[in-house]
Amino acid sequence: MKPNNIMVTRSSMPDMEEYVEEIRELWESHWLTNMGVKHRKLQEMLLEYLEADHVELFTNGHMALELTLQSMNLQGEVITTPFTFASTTHAIVRNGLEPVFCDINPVDFTIDVSKIEELVTDRTSAIVPVHIYGNICNIEEIERIADKYGLKVIYDAAHAFGEKYKGKGIGTFGDASCFSFHATKVFNTIEGGAVCFRDKDFGRILSGLKNFGIKGPEEVDGVGANAKMNEFCAAMGICNLRHIDGEIAKRGEIVGKYQELLGDLEGIQLSMVQKDVQTNYSYFPVVIDEKLFGCSRNEVFAELGKSGIMARKYFYPLTNTFGCFHGKYNPDQTPNALHISKRVITLPLYADLPLEDVERICGIIRKNYRK
Ligand SMILES: *Cc1c(COP(=O)(O)O)cnc(C)c1O
């Protein structure tokens, strides 16, 4: 990485002194993991911040999702979208479940709720929708369909940390919502994740499975994994959470600048904040229509790269085209997702990204407009 390069994201970190202060007592206690004081403190802080009923912490967002699906003891098919990170689809497949891919809507890139019902069969057990880029799925319609067919709803909320819909914490919807606290996310614990949920019995199974299914000193009642958040990651989370509102506000300013500088160009679809949503500005995707814009997504990506600006083709390729699935799925069945994945690019966005850099990035994009 050259010093002047602008990466697509940059991890938020507290002052080093703040972190050192937070971990100091670990040198006294020698308690480094297994639901120690930092783990419990972060859990309490998140319960309040996310306005959730219950929160369970994990070593990463993927294990949060994978073990949530396992805890629900699902069978057969799960309806989801291919316009997401590998984790969503992998969590389904690694549970021995069959992903059934539903298309996305081309406006906010979330699951197209008008196409879910035609995919429901007598083998369907759940829906795993994704709040993509911080855009919230059509929660009411998903709830209606889930109630009608008796399906579980597990939201992949990796992009939706701290968001609210109609004034309610985003983790309060569905049977569970899974968050990622990876270094690249709006809120990070270096690596980490969490699940928000309402049902206490589900929570007992879930918390058991993150620690090998160990129930007591001489009793193991689940085939669990090891997915506990350690004390150092929890301490990082405690520090970062103190500053999160300021970080999100700074992201909002950057997004405003992008909208101001790119809003007048034809053939470039910008990300807009949805109605009734308090957003976290997690990503700034733009969709480039070559015919109107006069230059393709790949060309814009390459031009930015030449100037050391590392944008990302996120999400490309679709998960239903991954080589590991050996041609099992047909991406032509999700045409909107396929179309968007070939045209989308996420631009650099992090709290400390200087506005002058946003101007430079937009300048390069504008230079390529109908050139
Ligand atoms: C980041 C991410 C995950 C996985 O989270 P990790 O903490 O990296 O394991 C899952 N789904 C989506 C959509 C993500 O962006």
Side-chain angles (χ1 to χ4, degrees), residues 60-62 84-85 87-88 130 156 158-159 180-182 185 192 314:
N60 58 53
H62 178 78
T84 182
F85 186 53
S87 171
T88 322
V130 185
D156 181 334
H159 293 186
S180 164
F181 304 154
H182 184 257
K185 302 291 192 322
Y314 195 62

Side-chain angles (χ1 to χ4, degrees), residues 1 7 10 30 43 75 80 144 169 176 193 208 213 240 261 272 282 307 343:
M1 187 183 112
M7 308 309 283
R10 202 172 87 134
H30 286 243
Q43 190 175 16
Q75 310 288 327
T80 186
R144 184 192 68 77
N240 279 336
L261 296 177
M272 289 296 159
S282 52
S307 302
R343 290 165 178 80

Side-chain angles (χ1 to χ4, degrees), residues 35-102:
M35 287 66 84
V37 287
K38 301 299 170 189
H39 186 287
R40 293 198 301 272
K41 180 170 168 190
L42 179 61
Q43 190 175 16
E44 268 172 41
M45 286 170 75
L46 285 172
L47 206 56
E48 192 184 341
Y49 189 79
L50 297 171
E51 299 176 354
D53 298 292
H54 303 284
V55 175
E56 194 65 45
L57 303 183
F58 286 84
T59 189
N60 58 53
H62 178 78
M63 288 311 290
L65 188 56
E66 190 170 314
L67 294 180
T68 293
L69 296 177
Q70 187 186 347
S71 299
M72 291 191 179
N73 202 15
L74 304 171
Q75 310 288 327
E77 300 170 355
V78 172
I79 296 172
T80 186
T81 63
F83 191 73
T84 182
F85 186 53
S87 171
T88 322
T89 304
H90 285 5
I92 295 167
V93 173
R94 286 170 58 83
N95 269 287
L97 298 162
E98 254 176 78
V100 172
F101 293 104
C102 184

Side-chain angles (χ1 to χ4, degrees), residues 7-179:
M7 308 309 283
V8 71
T9 187
R10 202 172 87 134
S11 302
S12 294
M13 293 172 84
D15 283 342
M16 195 168 162
E17 292 70 32
E18 184 181 348
Y19 184 66
V20 168
E21 208 39 58
E22 197 61 48
I23 60 174
R24 193 175 295 282
E25 62 188 291
L26 302 178
W27 262 262
E28 284 144 33
S29 68
H30 286 243
W31 186 306
L32 307 185
T33 187
N34 283 32
M35 287 66 84
V37 287
K38 301 299 170 189
H39 186 287
R40 293 198 301 272
K41 180 170 168 190
L42 179 61
Q43 190 175 16
E44 268 172 41
M45 286 170 75
L46 285 172
L47 206 56
E48 192 184 341
Y49 189 79
L50 297 171
E51 299 176 354
D53 298 292
H54 303 284
V55 175
E56 194 65 45
L57 303 183
F58 286 84
T59 189
N60 58 53
H62 178 78
M63 288 311 290
L65 188 56
E66 190 170 314
L67 294 180
T68 293
L69 296 177
Q70 187 186 347
S71 299
M72 291 191 179
N73 202 15
L74 304 171
Q75 310 288 327
E77 300 170 355
V78 172
I79 296 172
T80 186
T81 63
F83 191 73
T84 182
F85 186 53
S87 171
T88 322
T89 304
H90 285 5
I92 295 167
V93 173
R94 286 170 58 83
N95 269 287
L97 298 162
E98 254 176 78
V100 172
F101 293 104
C102 184
D103 207 358
I104 58 170
N105 76 66
V107 178
D108 62 23
F109 320 119
T110 61
I111 193 165
D112 182 345
V113 288
S114 72
K115 296 193 181 127
I116 296 177
E117 283 195 84
E118 63 199 57
L119 298 173
V120 175
T121 70
D122 54 8
R123 300 188 59 233
T124 310
S125 59
I127 310 175
V128 177
V130 185
H131 297 311
I132 209 85
Y133 304 132
N135 291 338
I136 299 306
C137 300
N138 185 333
I139 287 171
E140 284 95 357
E141 190 57 14
I142 289 168
E143 192 171 297
R144 184 192 68 77
I145 295 166
D147 286 349
K148 181 169 165 190
Y149 298 98
L151 308 175
K152 296 281 187 199
V153 177
I154 301 100
Y155 284 106
D156 181 334
H159 293 186
F161 182 81
E163 295 195 317
K164 288 191 182 146
Y165 176 63
K166 294 189 174 165
K168 283 180 70 184
I170 203 64
T172 61
F173 300 98
D175 294 284
S177 296
C178 302
F179 295 90

